[in-house]
Amino acid sequence: MADLEVPKELREEAKGHDMYLHPIDKNTYELFFGPQHMATENFSVILKMDGNRIEKAIVNPGFLHRGFEKLAEGRPYFTNIALLLRICVPESDVPENIYSMAVDEIVGWEVPDRAQWIRTTVLEMARMSAWMFWILGFGNEIGLYTAGQWAAAYRERFMRLFEELTGGRVYHIYTVPGGVRRDIPGDKWLRQLRDTVEYLKGKLKDFDEILFDNYITIERTEGVGVMDKKFALRHAVTGPNLRAVGVPYDVRKDDPYYFYPELDFEVPVLKEGDSLARVLVRRYEMEQDLYILEQLLDMGPPSGPYMVQDPRLKALPRFKPPKGDAYAHVESTKGDFGAYVVSDGTHKPYRVHVRGPSQSHGVTVLEELLKGARLADVPVILKTLDNCPPDIDR
Amino acid sequence: MNFDVRLVLEVIGMLLYATFMGFIFMGIERKAMARIQRRVGPPIYQPIIDTLKLLGKKESISHGFIYDFGPIFALGASITALLFLPLANFQLFSSNADLIVVAYLLEVPMLGIMLGAMSSGNPYSALGVQRGLLTMVAMQLPYGLAIIAIVQHFGTFKLGEIVALQQVHGWSILVPALLLAMIVFDIVFQAMIGLEPFDIITAPAEISMGPMLEYGGKQAAILFTQHAVQLFAETAFFAILFLGGASNLLELLIKQIAVLFIAIFVASIYPRFTIDQAAKFFWKWPTIIGIIAVLLTV
Amino acid sequence: MDMNEKPKVEEKVENTEETKPELPETKEGRLVKEILGEAPYAEGNVRRERRVEFKVPPERIREFLETAQKKFEMLIQITVVDWLKEGEFEVIYQLWSVSESVHAAVRTRIPREDPRLPTVMDIWPVAETYEREGHEFFGVMYEGNPRLGPFILEPREYEKHPFRKDFNMLGYVKGIYGEDFDRYDESKTNYVI
Amino acid sequence: MSEKKNDDFISYELQEFKLFEPLFRWARKKSLWIVAFCTGCGGIEMPPLATARYDFERFGIMPNPAPRMGDLFLITGYVTPKTLKRIIITYELMQDPKYIMIHGSCPINGGVYWDSYNVVKQFDKYLPVDVAIAGCMPRAEAVMDGIMEIMRKIEDGTADSWKRYRENYEYYRKNQDELFGEGWREKEARRWLAWI
């Protein structure tokens, strides 16, 4: 607060390097953690170590930067869907949805019920498959490969359903402004989805036994990377990480969209704020997500069109929304995922700004939590924060 | 000192057999883990192919003499340990206290790897070495207690005699005190062959293979061979101490595989400890059980 | 049936708000009124349910955000929009109130030639990342943030501040990676994306 | 006794033992270790490949975090210049013979990011490539097919990217230096060379 001036020499020094560190004295050493490292995947943390303890951590992202927001300014509205979904790879429906929601709001479209139902279902399926992927990651980091392998195999069931619904395994390009790209294939697909939900409900017990109730998992995560409530709010921590410090903030409840107001689900909250709490919140959310999917299936897809009826949609590449801007956000497994879209009345967006939850989790929060941690805690903290490097880089 | 042709042939034959079976054990380990993970898994002879491939690398980076010497030192120690073991009716070398010799020769290979890894200059390797040495220190106490329990019960340091006594009085694990010692030894065994929850030394997600990080090509092939021999020797040591030894190689093999499977099952349901937790763990339960075992044998 | 009605209610609220200049008697309206009472220099209005916005002159943005922080606990994002024709950067501080469930966009405009703003790192430490990003891509100087510099980009791209509207991306790409990746349509007149 | 024997063993050159070459080729084909460096989005198709549905360990393929032991470098998706520096260093850490497979359209010609200022357009200008798989994202089956292709190429000896890298080192080096500026290895890579 005292000096508002940027130290000039620091800025000059920063220009030559991708990162800078103070010179290392006798007792400490620098450890480059990533990007060629199993735990980080295209993300790098420079650790200044004192023995086995971390004195200082400096995050060095940018290995995945493609300039999405700039590219989106050069492509028509509907083409952007195929681009922006690549921001969040394990949960690619989330960027599709936030962008579509924002454009819907700018245009003033009211998305038909059927499309809303499908979008909700797709989002929940994406959440569930992302949870499975998270178990894989977390299991691998703490050395429990069995749970991860099982989870990745269960994820394939969702991949198959996605493939049947959208035609793509990983990138679906399915949710578009005004609705969804195509209708549900039929009742058989719904039956398959129900089977998968039932199947996973049983399998969650297996995960409880092998992963969540495991003595060593609890040893490894308890008391590691503790946050308190004030810290979390000041650092814009969202999603399960925020719920693990006792703040019941969930976009699905607090800023409801689609079918969520109709659904009955709980927001699990724990108070401890350590890695174990973050793991357990995720565990309870898996249960809630399966419950939500079940309710959606009980409700059944409402009849009606799956796309907004608008004559402007006939010439998609030249589709022009009115001037305006909108912010839309959804709850992803990683946290609050938002997009801010500005339209200047032409057929390309003037500015698209995506807010990935890892922008806060992966930089300032990580740097703070790593201070004083052991080296073996780095992967645990990384994974329990559920850091997703493409969110930071975009 | 006259040259004994038969001994030399037996040594060579036993080495070939041990190396081959060690590789197959490694294959069984990978295959069984894959089956637990609901996969098909690699063929059972996959480690042999891997070692061949590493031998066939056209380039071998060296970080100096010690770096090359480390793996060879480790392999030598493993082979020596193997030769002291009474495998079925072959005991190639023998001494009055071969139990102690084998028990500590089985730990020397880790020192060899540490020696080589340390000279590679990679900080991750150095961290792995640090962790490895700490694990060794930590597991020394329960390991020693388990062996003391055995020695006190049988009243001899000779492996051959221990086997013979077990043949007469039944397996050691039938004795309650030695059953406890066996539990302690099994926990230590998990750390000795580097499986979860004690694969702290390699820990791919933390220090990405640790000491092995800089090894590649022929040195890595030697390390693989060493691991195979070590695995064979350790499982055999376990079978000899607690499962009554064996009168022929087939019986030994069955017992070794049984030991191996226990290790695999434990490894596939437990995550990895951190190094300080591992040390604390070793000095807590295994040590307490070990002391009880020793007291019971007095 | 119920789900059909809900969005329509929202729409009506939105329409009425746009026509009326005064603040509606909702929780959003009360929130805006409260904040404007403490910060009379700002303009505020309610866009729709759970969305409010403020316009603040750049020299008092810090003061305003300090006031707003009492109600809006989280700084979700700092968006910079480059309005090339006006010669201005619009900096939007997007705040979220956890207690009230309201999103606020605090807008301010600064000149494009010398974009300077005070940092809000001490109010929300997470602003450090957002500011580094805004500095890197647009060249906005956040005075007081010690870590401005190449963050995501490498120094070469960092110098150019690539998200500015006057950054000729295609020309830059051709200069670096060569010309042979152009994507024309069959008549070689238009780019095909 | 055994030490000396093994020491001799290290020093001889295997290239001279042409007799063993078919055996080694077979071993190389059957035991491809992937360097666990997944660039870009394609990394998401690696877990399905390694797990129950596709399980590439059936063919002896497994991810290995140590680049020195790796054989196959999978470039799974677009490559940014910042990553490319690390890729080049990691590739040079790997020991011959080593193979590169590029995965997805982006390393081939930029893919969807053809006009992005931060995505490398033609990967094969900077490092040699053995097999390229098109698609965005290529399905797991396509990746398996690519791996089969590389196995076939190893067996008949046409997977020679490591040889090409040695022979045309000046060309690749020139392109790398053009992209990153002269002296990037000394200036930047030296800091993380040992730790990468």
Side-chain angles (χ1 to χ4, degrees), chain C residues 64-83:
Chain C
F64 180 81
L65 289 173
E66 262 171 7
T67 316
Q69 189 230 1
K70 291 167 204 154
K71 287 285 164 199
F72 294 90
E73 295 93 340
M74 251 195 241
L75 174 65
I76 299 188
Q77 186 59 279
I78 302 177
T79 308
V80 185
V81 185
D82 183 2
W83 296 101

Side-chain angles (χ1 to χ4, degrees), chain D residues 172-186:
Chain D
Y172 291 116
R173 185 67 195 263
K174 192 186 94 240
N175 287 338
Q176 291 165 10
D177 282 351
E178 258 174 31
L179 183 60
F180 305 132
E182 289 282 338
W184 64 276
R185 282 162 197 260
E186 290 73 27

